[in-house]
Amino acid sequence: MAPDQPADLSQNAIDRVVADALAAFAAAGTSVELKAARLAHAGERSPLALANRSIGTIPGPERKDAGQRLGAARAAVNAALTAREDELGAAELARRLVEERVDVTLPVEVGPQGAPHPITALMDLMGDVFIAMGWEIAEGPEAEAEWLNFDALNTRPDHPARSTTDTLFVEPLASHVLLRTQTSPVQARTMLDREPPIYIVCPGKVYRADEFDATHVPVFHQLEGLCVDRGITLAHLKGTLDHLARSMFGDDIETRMRPHFFPFTEPSAEVDLKCFVCHGASVGNPDAPCRTCRSQGWIEWGGCGVVNPRVLIACGIDPEVYSGFAFGMGIERTLMFRNNAADMRDMVEGDVRFSRSLKGMAR
Ligand SMILES: [Zn+2]
């Protein structure tokens, strides 16, 4: 029926329209079907809406009756629509509650939990030993000035470590920038920056032009420490290293200092750990050789010494007033000793089985 045609507004006609609408609503089995039925029977183009618009064309007395009939019809249709909407909504909700039921007592599939890499965890753990003693963590750039990496640390220009076969330089060579071969330039930076007393540890990545094999990787991690204060002696160094060793390897561990040479310390020593496999029993005992210490009884852990006065002077500190000690050790090496990680390649290849095997090692 077009809006410009006169509508049949007799009670019979209206009853038919209402009956059609109610039948359509009842037949709609889903809310989508009901929406279509609503558009057809109660929408703007529905017979009832069109009839409503034609009321104005009816002469006076009949108009009132027609209006009342139409009003009652629209009310009936709307009531039926609302009731059906409620019915279907409740039915659909009930069905979804059944279909989407979740059994909260079922075991939950949890994704694998991440964790810090063992190297990172151990580096944090070693740093914590010093933080507990009131030291600070210091950090510096990995691409470092050659002067800070070598000259400030009393390394002569002809020292073999400064060659391109040992050290990775950043091009152009004239920029004198290299990938730091040790974390010691952080110590130099700290001494240049501030006044003693200085108590810092510098954990971080270092680079060497090394082979990649079971005991060498070209990128590895160090922890170095530096203390500069009044009246610092070798005894303070020994006590500090013993404390770190006990924290890392347990109270039974023994250390020893073996004379050595480093340009930045004088006197210098290498610090060894008593072999924790044979406890020295393999020494001079060919019947029970020890692979870990090669029957030496001791294994090398790191280097240390009293800060060379020339380094203090290069960094603007008066060696007549202050003295200090420094030490450093490889994190990978510490992990090897501490957790029986025999092959350094496992530490860089990212196989999660390696990290899992050391899960929780840091605490
Ligand atoms: Zn041994």
Side-chain angles (χ1 to χ4, degrees):
M1 185 169 27
D4 50 353
Q5 286 175 337
D8 183 354
L9 294 176
S10 67
Q11 185 66 51
N12 279 345
I14 290 175
D15 286 347
R16 262 199 319 277
V17 168
V18 171
D20 285 351
L22 299 194
F25 296 160
T30 65
S31 53
V32 174
E33 288 170 11
L34 185 59
K35 189 176 177 186
R38 188 189 73 206
L39 280 174
H41 296 279
E44 284 180 20
R45 305 285 298 171
S46 66
L48 275 180
L50 297 179
N52 200 43
R53 267 182 244 168
S54 68
I55 278 183
T57 63
I58 299 172
E62 292 172 30
R63 189 191 296 170
K64 189 181 171 197
D65 286 349
Q68 283 175 347
R69 287 198 295 276
L70 262 183
R74 298 180 77 195
V77 166
N78 283 334
L81 178 63
T82 305
R84 188 62 180 147
E85 277 173 350
D86 289 349
E87 262 174 43
L88 287 179
E92 282 172 13
L93 177 63
R95 200 180 64 240
R96 280 180 55 196
L97 285 176
V98 171
E99 285 175 358
E100 299 175 13
R101 187 187 186 117
V102 175
D103 183 351
V104 295
T105 64
L106 286 175
V108 184
E109 194 172 323
V110 180
Q113 194 178 6
H117 188 274
I119 292 290
T120 308
L122 182 56
M123 209 151 56
D124 288 350
L125 187 67
M126 294 171 81
D128 285 349
V129 171
F130 288 91
I131 287 175
M133 295 193 290
W135 292 45
E136 293 168 62
I137 305 281
E139 290 178 321
E142 291 171 21
E144 183 58 279
E146 183 179 5
W147 187 85
L148 284 164
N149 194 85
F150 288 126
D151 300 86
L153 301 165
N154 199 34
T155 311
R156 294 172 50 83
D158 56 355
H159 194 283
R162 303 182 68 145
S163 74
T164 51
T165 53
D166 281 16
T167 296
L168 299 165
F169 283 85
V170 175
E171 287 194 322
L173 288 181
S175 71
H176 295 286
V177 173
L178 46 74
L179 297 181
R180 67 183 183 190
T181 62
Q182 50 198 353
T183 44
S184 314
V186 183
Q187 305 182 10
R189 285 172 173 274
T190 306
M191 287 189 280
L192 286 164
D193 262 7
R194 39 192 273 198
E195 299 291 316
I198 293 170
Y199 292 85
I200 54 161
V201 278
C202 326
K205 249 183 214 146
V206 299
Y207 301 80
R208 307 260 173 101
D210 263 342
E211 293 301 315
F212 179 55
D213 61 32
T215 53
H216 297 88
V217 281
V219 185
F220 54 102
H221 300 78
Q222 278 189 339
L223 179 99
E224 290 194 25
L226 169 73
C227 146
V228 180
D229 205 343
R230 293 169 194 264
I232 294 296
T233 71
L234 203 63
H236 296 114
L237 170 60
K238 171 84 169 130
T240 304
L241 288 174
D242 282 353
H243 177 65
L244 178 63
R246 281 195 300 273
S247 304
M248 289 299 111
F249 306 105
D251 286 342
D252 298 342
I253 197 71
E254 275 181 61
T255 64
R256 77 171 180 189
M257 282 154 84
R258 182 166 39 81
H260 197 74
F261 172 80
F262 298 112
F264 30 87
T265 46
E266 180 59 40
S268 302
E270 292 207 300
V271 55
D272 294 342
L273 301 168
K274 187 73 161 277
C275 177
F276 32 76
V277 175
C278 69
H279 301 283
S282 65
V283 181
N285 184 357
D287 296 334
C290 178
R291 279 194 359 213
T292 302
C293 65
R294 295 193 190 87
S295 298
Q296 301 294 303
W298 297 88
I299 43 184
E300 181 197 328
W301 187 25
C304 63
V306 172
V307 180
N308 192 316
R310 296 171 64 112
V311 173
L312 293 179
I313 291 168
C315 295
I317 292 174
D318 183 353
E320 298 297 324
V321 179
Y322 293 104
S323 55
F325 65 76
F327 60 87
M329 57 273 302
I331 308 286
E332 280 81 354
R333 202 168 171 76
T334 306
L335 187 68
M336 290 172 103
F337 297 157
R338 188 172 185 273
N339 300 87
N340 280 327
D343 193 328
M344 281 177 85
R345 287 172 293 196
D346 289 337
M347 301 178 195
V348 291
E349 283 176 344
D351 188 328
V352 73
R353 287 171 296 184
F354 171 74
S355 302
R356 280 214 191 104
S357 71
L358 299 180
K359 194 178 171 190
M361 52 149 284
R363 291 284 178 272

